[in-house]
Amino acid sequence: MSQLVMVENINLGGVGGRPKSRWTYLDNIRRSAGPFCDPDAEFGDESIAMFDSFKVLVIGAGGLGCEILKNLALSGFKNIHVIDMDTIDVSNLNRQFLFRASDVGKGKAEVAAKFVMNRVQGVKITPHNCKIQDKDDDFYMQFTLIVCGLDSIEARRWINSTLVDLVDPENPESLKPLIDGGTEGFKGQSRVVLPTMTSCLECQLDMHAPRAAVPLCTLATIPRQPEHCIEWAHIIAWEKEHPFPKLDNDDPEHIKWLTEKALARAKEFNISGVTYSLTQGVVKNIIPAIASTNAVIAASCCNEAFKIATSTNPALGMEENYMMYSGNDSIYTYTFKHEKKDDCPVCGNVARTLPVDPNLTLQEFIETLAARPEAQLKKPSIRTEEKSLYFQSPASLELKTRRNLKLKMGKLVENGEEIGITDPSLGQVSFRFKLKFSKVFVKVAMVEEKTKGEEAK
């Protein structure tokens, strides 16, 4: 027997030149009930047929997404869709192993799908080169479960709110389990969300507080780090000189210009460390990634997908639903239950309390929403039950409500009043917040009322 045939037979589980199915050993798990199986689950040919009909959506085809696609295909999932709007960059090649140098400039989803299908026969992967926001509800309704390998909090929040909104209590198939994975350097996490039933991603938003912005005064006067020099070039120098009509974070010429400006700034203040790669990372807010961490977290996500699809073992979900991993110092993992919050703006049933200084103008209040860990809204439109305070779009409503931006919150709303906030980047969900004025304002208001009463006398 030739060496090539022997290797192929080993890969397929064959003995004596008679290759078995690629899924033979996998079927041993799918056919047999084990000690941790769901007692109501059925095992056998029917369950395998049902598993084969599962349609899975993978969101993201980057470092984590490549690992997830490969693992799902090798775990027996045969009908997979992948969606990613990005194209392949040279900097991706060190960890996104489905891509080659010849693929630079091509769409990640198409290349990843083609690569996996060529290596794992019998698997169909349909690529979608677009934003997740470009797809409608009917698109997401066709999938049995969804696996995310994203590096964007905004995209996570959008798909989370969309899946919660899809749930119809009278239609069990409208509930789409969401498996979310994320990595940053040596750290990572995987979690399972059962929309409306368990803690959703919005319930956990405070675990992803926005990174503190560097004050403009630091950038403009005394930078201390190479990142400060890059931000100076990005925010101040670019606005002043406008070397190109519009900044394109993916254009090498634009990044090169920013790097040169940052280097000159760094030299002036005797700061080292500015590089083209660092400039690209700062401007595009690239999260540092390590291939091995991606592999660990992708494996966890795909194990959860397999357990949900087969009922062979308890999956993260109703009880423990969040797994954290740290490889910084040795290896540490911890699994716990993240509680569902009644005041979650997406899946909760009561409005979340939002402290506010009523002496802020509406414009100032809107600006604070981006930095608040419990909100993180970038282009919000706001209304009360009775009136519209401010709308970002359409233009006619923006013009009509613009005059409110200069008014103080204490004049526009009452203490304890509920407001609804929408953000175009987060779908159709309306965030409910109950405004709570500060004690300082209450005291000022009491003094004003007392003064008015004395003047009336």
Side-chain angles (χ1 to χ4, degrees):
M1 184 184 298
S2 71
Q3 186 176 7
L4 180 61
V5 173
M6 289 177 65
V7 170
E8 183 65 16
N9 284 340
I10 292 172
N11 288 338
L12 296 177
V15 178
R18 296 188 299 277
K20 295 183 179 180
S21 165
R22 175 188 284 272
W23 317 115
T24 296
Y25 295 115
L26 190 65
D27 287 347
N28 290 339
I29 298 175
R30 297 193 291 180
R31 290 180 187 276
S32 307
F36 302 108
C37 293
D38 183 340
D40 297 326
E42 296 182 358
F43 297 91
D45 292 338
E46 291 185 5
S47 64
I48 292 177
M50 184 179 297
F51 177 87
D52 290 343
S53 67
F54 260 51
K55 185 181 285 189
V56 182
L57 173 65
V58 176
I59 301 179
L64 198 55
C66 285
E67 292 279 356
I68 289 171
L69 280 174
K70 176 260 295 181
N71 287 353
L72 288 177
L74 293 175
S75 296
F77 291 95
K78 297 179 179 179
N79 192 351
I80 305 170
H81 287 236
V82 57
I83 183 169
D84 196 304
M85 61 174 287
D86 286 342
T87 55
I88 300 166
D89 185 78
V90 173
S91 63
N92 302 147
L93 302 181
N94 73 321
R95 64 195 180 282
Q96 299 175 21
F97 67 97
L98 299 182
F99 309 139
R100 300 293 181 267
S102 58
D103 297 323
V104 171
K106 300 177 183 177
K108 288 185 177 181
E110 292 94 334
V111 175
K114 183 178 179 181
F115 191 104
V116 175
M117 284 193 293
N118 285 341
R119 295 294 294 270
V120 186
Q121 300 300 315
V123 175
K124 178 184 178 183
I125 302 179
T126 305
H128 304 273
N129 186 18
C130 61
K131 297 180 179 179
I132 56 175
Q133 293 88 345
D134 293 340
K135 298 297 185 180
D136 58 16
D137 290 351
D138 290 338
F139 173 79
Y140 293 105
M141 279 293 291
Q142 66 180 301
F143 299 104
T144 312
L145 59 86
I146 295 171
V147 186
C148 284
L150 292 164
D151 60 2
S152 165
I153 300 299
E154 187 174 291
R156 282 189 175 98
R157 295 176 72 187
W158 188 91
I159 190 63
N160 173 72
S161 62
T162 297
L163 296 182
V164 170
D165 195 49
L166 281 181
V167 176
D168 178 0
E170 298 182 359
N171 178 15
E173 293 185 359
S174 65
L175 191 151
K176 311 295 179 184
L178 172 64
I179 302 172
D180 175 66
T183 66
E184 183 171 356
F186 288 100
K187 298 179 180 179
Q189 53 80 23
S190 62
R191 53 190 162 183
V192 174
V193 174
L194 304 178
T196 72
M197 295 178 64
T198 66
S199 167
C200 77
L201 301 193
E202 199 71 28
C203 294
Q204 308 164 18
L205 184 62
D206 53 2
M207 298 181 69
H208 305 280
R211 296 182 179 182
V214 180
L216 281 175
C217 58
T218 299
L219 302 181
T221 56
I222 309 176
R224 299 183 300 275
Q225 300 173 10
E227 290 83 358
H228 295 169
C229 300
I230 295 169
E231 287 287 11
W232 174 86
H234 180 207
I235 297 173
I236 298 176
W238 185 278
E239 288 298 321
K240 183 179 179 179
E241 300 185 31
H242 283 291
F244 301 94
K246 185 178 180 181
L247 177 61
D248 182 353
N249 295 341
D250 294 314
D251 191 319
E253 287 298 317
H254 294 196
I255 300 298
K256 182 181 177 182
W257 186 92
L258 292 173
T259 304
E260 291 172 352
K261 285 291 178 181
L263 280 168
R265 180 76 168 173
K267 185 177 180 181
E268 180 182 352
F269 289 90
N270 197 27
I271 297 172
S272 61
V274 174
T275 63
Y276 179 94
S277 177
L278 181 63
T279 301
Q280 188 177 48
V282 170
V283 173
K284 298 180 69 174
N285 194 27
I286 296 174
I287 298 173
I290 294 174
S292 297
T293 308
N294 286 338
V296 170
I297 298 304
S300 174
C301 290
C302 294
N303 271 344
E304 296 309 311
F306 184 80
K307 288 188 284 186
I308 290 173
T310 61
S311 299
T312 52
N313 277 77
L316 291 172
M318 294 299 294
E319 296 303 324
E320 294 182 337
N321 54 20
Y322 194 107
M323 188 280 287
M324 58 175 288
Y325 165 85
S326 176
N328 288 20
D329 183 9
S330 186
I331 294 177
Y332 174 77
T333 61
Y334 179 62
T335 307
F336 64 96
K337 181 178 182 179
H338 206 293
E339 297 290 344
K340 190 175 188 291
K341 296 182 178 179
D342 290 336
D343 65 348
C344 173
V346 172
C347 70
N349 48 29
V350 297
R352 175 170 292 179
T353 299
L354 191 67
V356 60
D357 180 353
N359 291 310
L360 290 177
T361 64
L362 178 59
Q363 176 71 55
E364 292 169 334
F365 172 69
I366 289 174
E367 290 172 356
T368 67
L369 290 175
R372 287 176 179 258
E374 69 272 45
Q376 300 187 41
L377 302 169
K378 297 180 179 179
K379 295 186 66 178
S381 295
I382 307 174
R383 63 168 291 112
T384 67
E385 291 183 0
E386 298 178 352
K387 59 185 176 182
S388 300
L389 299 184
Y390 182 70
F391 275 84
Q392 300 276 355
S393 62
S396 58
L397 278 179
E398 195 282 329
L399 183 63
K400 188 176 180 180
T401 56
R402 188 184 300 171
R403 62 179 180 271
N404 290 335
L405 293 174
K406 297 180 180 180
L407 300 180
K408 292 185 177 181
M409 293 298 293
K411 297 291 184 181
L412 291 170
V413 295
E414 300 289 336
N415 187 25
E417 187 172 3
E418 284 191 17
I419 61 172
I421 305 180
T422 57
D423 193 296
S425 65
L426 300 177
Q428 301 301 316
V429 65
S430 179
F431 295 81
R432 293 169 57 207
F433 291 100
K434 183 177 181 179
L435 299 183
K436 181 180 179 181
F437 290 170
S438 65
K439 293 181 180 180
V440 174
F441 175 79
V442 173
K443 291 180 180 179
V444 171
M446 290 174 66
V447 171
E448 290 178 349
E449 289 296 323
K450 183 178 180 180
T451 303
K452 289 179 182 178
E454 291 175 350
E455 289 175 352
K457 291 178 181 180

